Amino acid sequence: METTRHYTATVYVVSDGAVALHEHDGLGKWLPPGGHVDRDELPHDAGLREVREETGLDVDLVAGTDDIGSPTVDPLPQPHHFQLADVNTYGDHVGHQHVDMVYYARAESRAIDPADGEQPAADWKWFTPTDLAEADGAGESGLDPAPDPDVREIGRLAIETVSGR
C-alpha cells in the first residue's frame, strides 16, 4: 500500500503570554489552528488563512527569512518546526501523513470569532506556560484529554519566542 502525504501549515498564536488551542471535534485532541495547504497557496499564507477562518484573528507571523534571493527566487518565512504526522494507520502501515510546517504568530487580541462552519469560540482556550506544564496528565488541569506532549512543548516555545520579541 502507498502512503498518501499532504502538506499542512499550523500556527501557534500567542497573545499576552498565552497560546490559543482548541479541542478538535474529529480528533479529540487539543490543537492550534492549521490545515491543508491548497494547491495555489504558499505554506505561510495557508497558515494565516487557517488562523483567520478558525479564530477570526489577524496575526503577524514571527518567522525569519533567508537573506538569499535573486530575480527569480524569493525567500519565504521559515517555519519554526517541520514535522511528519501519521493521520491514518492500518496495523503496521501508515496510510496517510501530514508534512506540517509549524509557525508562530502574534495576536493583538484574544477575541476568538470563528468563521461560519468552524468550531465555536467556546471550544478555544488560551494556555499559559503554567497551564501547559500542568496539563501533562489527563485531569490534572481539568482537561481530559490533556494536550499531547509535542503541542505543550511547541506551545511553550511559541510563547517564549513571541513574548521575547
Side-chain angles (χ1 to χ4, degrees), residues 47-77:
L48 293 171
R49 174 184 52 76
E50 291 288 348
V51 169
R52 275 190 306 279
E53 290 173 359
E54 294 181 22
T55 69
L57 296 171
D58 286 316
V59 299
D60 296 314
L61 284 183
V62 176
T65 57
D66 287 329
D67 58 359
I68 300 169
S70 72
T72 58
V73 174
D74 290 322
L76 297 176

Side-chain angles (χ1 to χ4, degrees), residues 44-141:
H44 65 284
D45 289 333
L48 293 171
R49 174 184 52 76
E50 291 288 348
V51 169
R52 275 190 306 279
E53 290 173 359
E54 294 181 22
T55 69
L57 296 171
D58 286 316
V59 299
D60 296 314
L61 284 183
V62 176
T65 57
D66 287 329
D67 58 359
I68 300 169
S70 72
T72 58
V73 174
D74 290 322
L76 297 176
Q78 297 173 349
H80 285 269
H81 308 279
F82 201 52
Q83 299 180 310
L84 183 63
D86 294 342
V87 179
N88 294 4
T89 56
Y90 309 96
D92 291 339
H93 176 71
V94 178
H96 183 79
Q97 293 177 316
H98 287 169
V99 179
D100 194 26
M101 289 151 274
V102 181
Y103 299 91
Y104 301 166
R106 177 182 296 105
E108 295 300 321
S109 167
R110 289 191 182 184
I112 304 287
D113 184 21
D116 290 342
E118 297 290 337
Q119 284 188 245
D123 289 352
W124 288 88
K125 176 176 170 35
W126 290 93
F127 287 79
T128 66
T130 301
D131 296 330
L132 292 168
E134 291 175 355
D136 64 356
E140 287 182 32
S141 62

Side-chain angles (χ1 to χ4, degrees), residues 5-53:
R5 292 188 178 100
H6 291 155
Y7 290 98
T8 56
T10 297
V11 181
Y12 282 76
V13 176
V14 176
S15 181
D16 292 327
V19 66
L21 302 175
H22 72 291
E23 191 171 2
H24 190 281
D25 265 347
L27 299 175
K29 293 180 170 203
W30 287 92
L31 295 173
H36 287 86
V37 177
D38 292 338
R39 289 178 57 141
D40 64 342
E41 282 183 306
L42 295 170
H44 65 284
D45 289 333
L48 293 171
R49 174 184 52 76
E50 291 288 348
V51 169
R52 275 190 306 279
E53 290 173 359

